[in-house]
Amino acid sequence: MTESEMTFGSEQVRVFVPGRSLGFIGRFKELKQYKQFVIDQTRRKLQIRYNRSLLGWAWSLIHPLAILLIYTLVFGTILAGERNIVPNPDGLESFGHFLFSALVIWFVFQQVSTTAIGAFAESLMLRKRLYFPPTAPIIAGVVAGLVGNGVEIVVLLVAFLVVGSVSMTFLGLLFVVPLTAMFALGVGLVLAPLNARFRDVGHLYQVILRLAFFTTPIIYTADVVPETYAGVPLRRLLQLNPVSWMTEASRSLTFSQQWPNGEAWLVMSSAAVLSLCIGWYVFHRLVDDVVEGF
Amino acid sequence: MQNKMAEGLAINAQGVSKRYQLGTRAISLRNAVTGERGKRPIVDAVNKVTFSVAKGEVLGLIGRNGSGKSSLIRMIAGIYRPTEGMIQVRGRLTALVELGAGFDQQLSGRENIYMNASGHGLSRQETESSVGDIIEFAGIGRFIDFPMETYSTGMRARLGFAVATALNPDVLVADEITAVGDVRFADQCFNHFDYMSKKGTTVLLASHNLNRLSDVASRVLWLDNGEVRQIGPTQETIDAYRVFMRSTEEGKK
């Protein structure tokens, strides 16, 4: 089980033998060599995203605005009386601000993990004709998707600027967003090869995402969750979900304008790094067999 | 030790086999649960193949449909791993399993040139400097700035070929790519293989076009049922293959 050298160069000898084609570090080096391919794939995905639509890129703006409007209407107006479900923020900020400040992070998580699964499945046909690192289409898809998330965050910023309550804490998103993306990428990397083998995984994941949306503090804050409910340590369970820490941190930075505490940063960073490492490992353990699967 | 390779060789395959286990895609829940996987059919597409190609040589690869040519080429290209044995390749390799693989129908020909070139491992500057030559070689005129969905099959193939050969690889492996396109395109391809080998590129060429192959190949490898049936001088091997094909009923296409 020797690893093959993947360095380009006219005298370089590459060796192909049975077993795993490259080590985990080798896979990383290889990806770096295909940088241009990743960039081009990203550009392609961005270029064709709004093909054949009249409004084109305006859709990336309309989409988050519409969601902001709908959720504000549903939770802020129709359900506004349900005080124990929906918090009623003071001041100029609406429930929309409250909600969107956490929702943007949820969107990052959802987009990155879902795109990773889809982009890999999509790339398998081409992979039978052309060699490229299997993570390349995933990275390209995720980066292209993050551009859309960027627009959503700009919408969030503008929404807070309109009511005149923006502070330096907003910059904290520059850390929370990448950490969320890293965590989600790790999840996607584990699920992508499983989904390529059994498409049930992707469908099941969509169901789990729907459930996770409500078990993550997005439309509510973590502190309205009772410590224990019927003997179940609910609050503790909530904290086991790394995405809760991320949505809470985002809301704290934008809505409450407070820096999350050290514990929060520690949890988020460890979750992100651990998830990405596990994802990278599992993905490459499975990928060779999946690519050749019939 | 496996990184050591005899000087003067560009491709070295030692006892290479490829075994496919079919039917994993059609796996049912019951099979997955009961672990009833042993019943999936096994296909030995390539069976203990040993050969080498010298630097600058053009090796023709012939054989019936399903004889293992494509599997062998995919393994040399690193797309599939061998089940057994070892393959060594020296230098930058370009594999043409399908012309224009990865072309996006919605992008223009020019945009696809950049995409395709980076897919073959070319840097932006390298592509930039040869994009003019590629467009000229492809000869598709003003269509170059139209979306690819407006192209004919032949135009796609010509552009794919133009990009791939502009890469200036040390080793070029091609799998029956001259089958699409007209006679002139096939001529253009074979002439270019000849030209590239004269410049020092090693070429491994799978083709059913025996007449043209005999003009460019220095040696021919004949695969049958995944095994090396014969390897040797071009004309001799092709003649033996022709006799064989005439003598077998299955040989009729």
Side-chain angles (χ1 to χ4, degrees):
Chain A
M1 308 260 173
T2 319
E3 295 167 7
S4 62
E5 287 292 317
M6 253 306 302
T7 324
F8 290 134
S10 66
E11 281 309 297
Q12 195 68 43
V13 174
R14 280 192 284 167
V15 184
F16 302 113
V17 288
R20 209 158 25 322
S21 48
L22 276 173
F24 304 111
I25 305 292
R27 288 291 196 179
F28 188 71
K29 287 188 193 151
E30 182 196 44
L31 189 61
K32 265 170 59 187
Q33 274 160 350
Y34 275 82
K35 200 176 79 187
Q36 191 60 50
F37 179 67
V38 176
I39 293 171
D40 285 354
Q41 289 291 322
T42 309
R43 190 175 298 150
R44 178 185 72 101
K45 286 179 198 234
L46 289 172
Q47 253 173 319
I48 62 175
R49 174 174 297 169
Y50 295 110
N51 249 9
R52 292 172 208 266
S53 76
L54 291 173
L55 294 175
W57 271 90
W59 277 113
S60 64
L61 205 63
I62 297 168
H63 200 232
L65 281 175
I67 291 167
L68 185 60
L69 203 72
I70 291 165
Y71 279 88
T72 308
L73 215 66
V74 172
F75 293 105
T77 312
I78 301 170
L79 292 176
E82 308 288 329
R83 283 283 175 267
N84 51 346
I85 304 176
V86 180
N88 190 21
D90 309 319
L92 286 168
E93 293 102 341
S94 67
F95 181 75
H97 289 88
F98 168 83
L99 184 70
F100 213 55
S101 61
L103 202 56
V104 285
I105 289 297
W106 175 256
F107 284 154
V108 170
F109 176 76
Q110 181 179 273
Q111 182 278 118
V112 171
S113 54
T114 311
T115 307
I117 296 169
F120 178 66
E122 217 175 90
S123 74
L124 287 173
M125 281 306 285
L126 180 57
R127 182 57 174 65
K128 286 186 191 292
R129 292 167 180 80
L130 184 69
Y131 183 82
F132 50 80
T135 47
I138 294 181
I139 308 284
V142 163
V143 172
L146 283 172
V147 172
N149 293 123
V151 175
E152 287 157 9
I153 288 163
V154 170
V155 169
L156 178 73
L157 177 66
V158 170
F160 277 102
L161 276 173
V162 167
V163 293
S165 72
V166 173
S167 83
M168 290 300 284
T169 54
F170 230 93
L171 291 174
L173 284 183
L174 290 175
F175 301 101
V176 178
V177 171
L179 288 176
T180 309
M182 280 166 71
F183 177 75
L185 181 58
V187 173
L189 283 172
V190 171
L191 296 178
L194 297 176
N195 174 64
R197 188 80 163 68
F198 304 102
R199 291 295 149 112
D200 318 57
V201 171
H203 296 296
L204 186 63
Y205 185 61
Q206 286 307 312
V207 176
I208 292 171
L209 273 179
R210 299 278 162 258
L211 181 68
F213 176 80
F214 291 102
T215 54
T216 305
I218 300 165
I219 56 169
Y220 55 87
T221 54
D223 40 276
V224 303
V225 176
E227 287 284 354
T228 52
Y229 182 80
V232 182
L234 272 190
R235 186 84 65 86
R236 185 69 59 78
L237 280 177
L238 198 71
Q239 286 178 337
L240 285 178
N241 169 12
V243 188
S244 322
W245 292 84
M246 291 154 184
T247 55
E248 287 280 278
S250 170
R251 177 134 56 210
S252 162
L253 288 165
T254 57
F255 190 77
S256 325
Q257 304 185 349
Q258 278 165 2
W259 287 95
N261 59 21
E263 189 198 4
W265 287 112
L266 188 69
V267 170
M268 289 191 288
S269 321
S270 343
V273 171
L274 202 66
S275 163
L276 198 52
C277 289
I278 294 173
W280 190 264
Y281 177 80
V282 172
F283 180 81
H284 287 117
R285 269 305 285 265
L286 302 174
V287 74
D288 285 329
D289 288 329
V290 165
V291 161
E292 294 184 22
F294 278 82
Chain B
M1 117 141 229
Q2 278 168 322
N3 282 310
K4 275 193 184 151
M5 186 175 178
E7 277 305 312
L9 288 188
I11 301 172
N12 181 25
Q14 294 294 323
V16 172
S17 300
K18 182 69 198 175
R19 165 174 289 189
Y20 298 115
Q21 220 171 14
L22 301 183
T24 54
R25 188 173 283 167
I27 194 165
S28 70
L29 188 61
R30 201 185 62 193
N31 282 345
V33 172
T34 57
E36 235 182 295
R37 286 153 155 210
K39 288 179 185 168
R40 281 180 295 166
I42 283 169
V43 175
D44 286 302
V46 178
N47 205 350
K48 297 196 170 58
V49 166
T50 297
F51 72 98
S52 58
V53 190
K55 271 188 193 175
E57 194 185 6
V58 181
L59 181 73
L61 183 58
I62 58 173
R64 292 182 287 180
N65 292 329
S67 59
K69 303 187 295 291
S70 296
S71 290
L72 187 60
I73 279 179
R74 280 194 164 100
M75 285 190 282
I76 294 169
I79 295 173
Y80 288 170
R81 296 160 303 162
T83 317
E84 209 177 57
M86 174 189 71
I87 298 172
Q88 295 173 312
V89 178
R90 192 195 304 274
R92 185 153 87 180
L93 174 135
T94 298
L96 292 176
V97 173
E98 183 190 294
L99 285 179
F103 277 161
D104 191 295
Q105 294 289 337
Q106 301 187 55
L107 298 182
S108 76
R110 191 186 300 273
E111 287 163 334
N112 269 307
I113 290 176
Y114 286 100
M115 283 255 313
N116 209 245
S118 68
H120 281 104
L122 222 67
S123 75
R124 180 52 40 129
Q125 294 97 306
E126 286 173 292
T127 315
E128 213 63 84
S129 65
S130 50
V131 72
D133 293 339
I134 294 172
I135 292 171
E136 202 194 311
F137 190 85
I140 53 172
R142 67 201 170 98
F143 274 87
I144 196 68
D145 289 311
F146 292 171
M148 208 120 201
E149 54 202 353
T150 63
Y151 287 30
S152 70
T153 316
M155 284 159 80
R156 272 174 61 99
R158 283 213 297 276
L159 190 61
F161 187 75
V163 179
T165 52
L167 306 175
N168 246 326
D170 301 307
V171 181
L172 179 78
V173 290
D175 188 6
E176 190 56 54
I177 54 167
T178 56
V180 287
D182 51 23
V183 183
R184 232 185 76 214
F185 174 66
D187 277 337
Q188 203 181 4
C189 287
F190 277 96
N191 288 340
H192 203 76
F193 290 138
D194 201 33
Y195 166 75
M196 286 175 85
S197 82
K198 289 197 170 93
K199 284 202 324 188
T201 303
T202 310
V203 183
L204 175 63
L205 195 58
S207 181
H208 291 295
N209 198 333
L210 301 177
N211 289 330
R212 286 219 170 76
L213 197 61
S214 66
D215 294 337
V216 295
S218 39
R219 274 193 311 150
V220 167
L221 168 63
W222 170 14
L223 274 187
D224 198 49
N225 283 328
E227 288 169 18
V228 179
R229 175 79 174 237
Q230 193 172 329
I231 180 165
T234 305
Q235 209 50 55
E236 201 182 303
T237 317
I238 287 180
D239 287 344
Y241 176 63
R242 279 202 169 110
V243 170
F244 169 79
M245 287 301 269
R246 268 192 290 262
S247 70
T248 49
E249 272 292 300
E250 312 154 48
K252 283 181 187 165
K253 278 200 287 180

